[in-house]
Amino acid sequence: MGKDVIIACDFANAEETIRFLDKFNKIRDEVVRCDDISVRVSRPYVKIGMELFYAEGPQIIKTLKERGHKVFLDLKVHDIPNTVKKTMKVLGAYGVDMVNVHAAGGIEMMKAAKEGLMLGSARFAEKPKLIAVTQLTSTDEATMHKELLIELPLPEVVKQYALNAKAAGLDGVVCSAHEAAEIHMACGPDFLTVTPGIRLAGDSAGDQKRVMTPADARDEGADYIVVGRSITAESKPIDAYQRCRADFIL
Ligand code: C5P
């Protein structure tokens, strides 16, 4: 299974996003040296979140796909099953590579999401991956106990949500890299773990509570790491991206 680094393009609009991604043009399909290791870099896999999608609409997906990027559309859909099914049918037709729902919506909702997504993406040979958010990486156990009134330990909750996602026929989950190994043990090695909350050593955690470096995420068996500010807020984002790839993939 291909591991990859997904850049979280948390920008306000298309112009800012394209200006940022243009920096990567010069390394397209080149083999670059990073810490004496050769790394093949093509157009980065990107993640579009709510801010950018709600500002720009589906055109931003079309633009990024035409530029050769794989696109993870991170809208964290969460509603009644009927609404989710119809929503996912719309999203599937955009040609995204990955999309997600909240596991907290339950198995019936996740099954409906999958049905809708398959209907919407029927014309594409490669079907989009559908994954479920377990607990946000900005949520820690204390918040979960005190505010969400979920009394079980966080790893148990995450594991159960992952098992629910698997039972609903989803491809994997969004989780913290801290939970990736446990989830693979419970749900099998092919069940994807997509892990945000990644920081290069020395970077600030910001609002994330459960962070990990790319190398540690690799050791935990994460399949994809989602990296935002540790790349986008850097003065040398290409170097940061290459470092993430070198640490995570090799
Ligand atoms: O800048 P940073 O690396 O913290 O960005 C992480 C990205 O991953 C953000 O776009 C955030 O919305 C997303 N995300 C997350 N935790 C989840 C799911 C998605 O941080 N559970």
Side-chain angles (χ1 to χ4, degrees), residues 8-10 47 49-50 72 74 76 100 102 133-138 174-176 194 196-199 205 207-208 210 226-232:
C9 289
D10 292 323
K47 179 178 88 67
M50 290 183 250
F72 167 18
D74 177 20
K76 303 185 179 72
N100 61 1
H102 264 290
V133 177
T134 51
Q135 281 292 337
L136 296 172
T137 39
S138 57
V174 185
C175 61
S176 157
V194 179
I198 300 295
R199 290 290 177 270
D207 55 347
Q208 297 283 18
R210 294 178 287 139
V226 176
V227 190
R229 287 161 286 185
S230 265
I231 294 175
T232 56

Side-chain angles (χ1 to χ4, degrees), residues 137-191:
T137 39
S138 57
T139 303
D140 60 13
E141 194 164 86
T143 311
M144 216 185 62
H145 292 330
K146 278 195 215 134
E147 296 178 19
L148 309 183
L149 304 184
I150 300 173
E151 286 172 5
L152 293 170
L154 191 139
E156 251 181 75
V157 174
V158 168
K159 190 167 94 180
Q160 186 57 46
Y161 282 17
L163 286 165
N164 291 350
K166 190 176 162 75
L170 270 57
D171 300 292
V173 285
V174 185
C175 61
S176 157
H178 293 274
E179 294 131 14
E182 179 100 9
I183 288 173
H184 278 140
M185 224 139 42
C187 302
D190 295 338
F191 191 69

Side-chain angles (χ1 to χ4, degrees), residues 6 10 12 15 17 42 57 74 93 101 119 123 145 170 191 204 231:
I6 303 178
D10 292 323
E15 198 188 329
T17 309
S42 53
D74 177 20
V101 294
L119 287 173
R123 71 191 163 97
H145 292 330
L170 270 57
F191 191 69
S204 144
I231 294 175

